[in-house]
Amino acid sequence: MKTDHYLDARGLMKRFGGHVVVDDASFTVPEGETLALLGPSGCGKTTLLRLLTGLTGADGGSVSVAGEILTGPGVHVPPEQRRVGMVFQDWALFPHLTVEKNVAYGLRSGDIARGRAREALDMVRLADLAERYPQDLSGGQAQRVAVARALAPRPRVLLLDEPFSNLDTEFRIKLRSEVAGLMREVGMTAVFVTHDQEEAFVVGDQVAVMRTGRIIQQGTPTDVYEHPATPWLASFVGEANLVEAVAEGQTASTMFGEIRLSEPAWGSCRVTLRPEHLLIGNGDDGLVTNVEFYGHDTAYAVELDASTVQVRGMAAPRFRPGDRVSLTYSGPDVVAFAAGGPNSNIPDSQDR
Ligand code: ATP
């Protein structure tokens, strides 16, 4: 039976000098799923991966895979015994070795190594290219060889640390779908580190969002986007308008009318509204100050009561700067954040 806690990291801590880099970080990855670990540069993602591999020792917390404790009080299983594989940012292959020898590199020599290399190449559908040299591969094939090299020792968990960060955008978009498909096909349990929200949503069955060493929220991409745990997170995973509201149980009154809340709340609060959930029409609520047409949609900036809100329309521009318009909310239930209160786990001043 598949377990929801195949990889289980709990309360992980890491300090360098006096500086806390990983701070009580907890997350789980169900068997056969990919978790995208998303966070801004320097928030501690690579350090967290290194704690999972055992290359860095933890100052607290635990890591287990399939119920076996790898890191915990008095336990530190060495990296080579963890069966946790890693694909690094720089996945360069050895130019003087064939594809198969690249994949077998690091395995003990002999027939078993050869068999495992062949098996891993089969998984990434490159068995036909085993005798080729890296310079004769396309970029996508080379990347798959790097994944095969990490799969060859039959890891229980695969960690990928920003594997596409050195690539141009077009190539990256193609590869991320390919690698996401590959992980699903081989049923690998994986953690994929990225600082790119779109990449995290494409690759991750679930996403864990990290900030200053802490995991702020774990959920499906839809959960995280529609029900963000903090205003900061709402803006980090997409555009968000932070709007004053007064909550009365299941609804909140805002300048766009009554909006349903996902959890009941009372009193002054703020809600985050996505630009694509605001409908723009003829009216006299606000003034259009900017219009940008992107082809697939149009972004409007609308000034209301001394604040500016962002709006996305799925059609060509219908209004121009200087037009008076009305805005109504048409989207999912939203989360209410008490200003600086328990729902925003970071100080209000850092939150915008
Ligand atoms: P990026 O996305 O830029 O790769 P990251 O989220 O992976 O960043 P880390 O590389 O884990 O972040 O670094 C987190 C913080 O820990 C940074 O401030 C970094 O300078 C610091 N740090 C990482 N490794 C060490 C170390 N061995 N000694 C001291 N400080 C370290």
Side-chain angles (χ1 to χ4, degrees), residues 3-336:
T3 159
D4 281 350
H5 298 263
Y6 189 74
L7 171 60
D8 194 339
R10 287 198 197 170
L12 284 172
M13 296 292 302
K14 186 65 199 174
R15 293 179 203 90
F16 287 120
H19 186 59
V20 178
V21 171
V22 173
D23 187 3
D24 197 17
S26 301
F27 61 86
T28 56
V29 190
E31 188 172 2
E33 291 198 5
T34 297
L35 177 78
L37 183 60
L38 170 69
S41 184
C43 73
K45 303 182 295 297
T46 298
T47 306
L48 185 49
L49 280 199
R50 290 177 63 86
L51 295 177
L52 302 179
T53 60
L55 290 166
T56 297
D59 293 325
S62 66
V63 176
S64 65
V65 172
E68 183 195 341
I69 295 174
L70 303 179
T71 295
V75 181
H76 181 85
V77 174
E80 64 280 7
Q81 288 171 22
R82 291 190 173 213
R83 295 185 53 209
V84 172
M86 184 110 170
V87 178
F88 293 94
Q89 279 179 10
D90 174 10
W91 36 268
L93 304 174
F94 299 112
H96 61 289
L97 296 182
T98 62
V99 163
E100 185 181 298
K101 291 208 167 114
N102 263 285
V103 174
Y105 191 86
L107 299 173
R108 289 209 188 99
S109 57
D111 288 347
I112 292 179
R114 196 154 185 271
R116 294 247 175 121
R118 288 274 168 178
E119 172 189 273
L121 284 170
D122 267 340
M123 282 184 189
V124 301
R125 298 183 305 279
L126 284 182
D128 293 351
L129 305 186
E131 298 311 318
R132 281 218 191 150
Y133 284 86
Q135 72 267 20
D136 301 327
L137 300 174
S138 71
Q141 289 166 339
Q143 210 276 345
R144 268 150 63 197
V145 176
V147 172
R149 186 167 58 187
L151 291 174
R154 295 189 182 160
R156 295 184 293 188
V157 173
L158 190 62
L159 311 177
L160 301 103
D161 190 2
E162 307 229 24
F164 313 138
S165 61
N166 300 326
L167 307 175
D168 63 60
T169 311
E170 196 182 336
F171 191 36
R172 199 181 159 118
I173 288 173
K174 188 166 163 275
L175 273 189
R176 73 188 183 198
S177 311
E178 198 173 304
V179 167
L182 188 63
M183 290 297 129
R184 282 183 194 121
E185 222 170 89
V186 302
M188 184 47 67
T189 308
V191 179
F192 186 107
V193 162
T194 179
H195 60 266
D196 179 320
Q197 169 264 328
E198 205 175 86
E199 189 162 281
F201 280 20
V202 171
V203 169
D205 297 297
Q206 292 192 45
V207 178
V209 184
M210 190 170 186
R211 188 188 191 199
T212 54
R214 300 182 73 96
I215 303 286
I216 302 178
Q217 186 173 12
Q218 175 176 353
T220 63
T222 316
D223 277 346
V224 167
Y225 189 75
E226 292 188 350
H227 301 117
T230 72
W232 172 83
L233 194 150
S235 306
F236 187 64
V237 299
E239 265 189 292
N241 296 296
L242 194 58
V243 170
E244 300 296 329
V246 178
E248 286 161 47
Q250 210 63 60
T251 59
S253 36
T254 72
M255 60 175 130
F256 308 109
E258 297 277 301
I259 296 181
R260 283 191 64 77
L261 297 176
S262 52
E263 297 284 343
W266 282 268
S268 288
C269 63
R270 297 173 299 165
V271 292
T272 51
L273 306 183
R274 299 289 178 197
E276 67 273 21
H277 296 146
L278 289 172
L279 300 181
I280 188 165
N282 296 315
D284 197 24
D285 296 344
L287 178 74
V288 176
T289 55
N290 193 36
V291 178
E292 290 176 358
F293 178 48
Y294 302 130
H296 39 72
D297 60 3
T298 300
Y300 301 93
V302 179
E303 205 173 271
L304 300 120
D305 295 344
S307 64
T308 299
V309 294
Q310 305 300 324
V311 180
R312 285 265 170 160
M314 289 299 137
R318 290 173 50 210
F319 299 96
R320 292 191 299 189
D323 286 348
R324 304 281 311 169
V325 291
S326 74
L327 296 177
T328 45
Y329 181 77
S330 174
D333 298 356
V334 296
V335 183

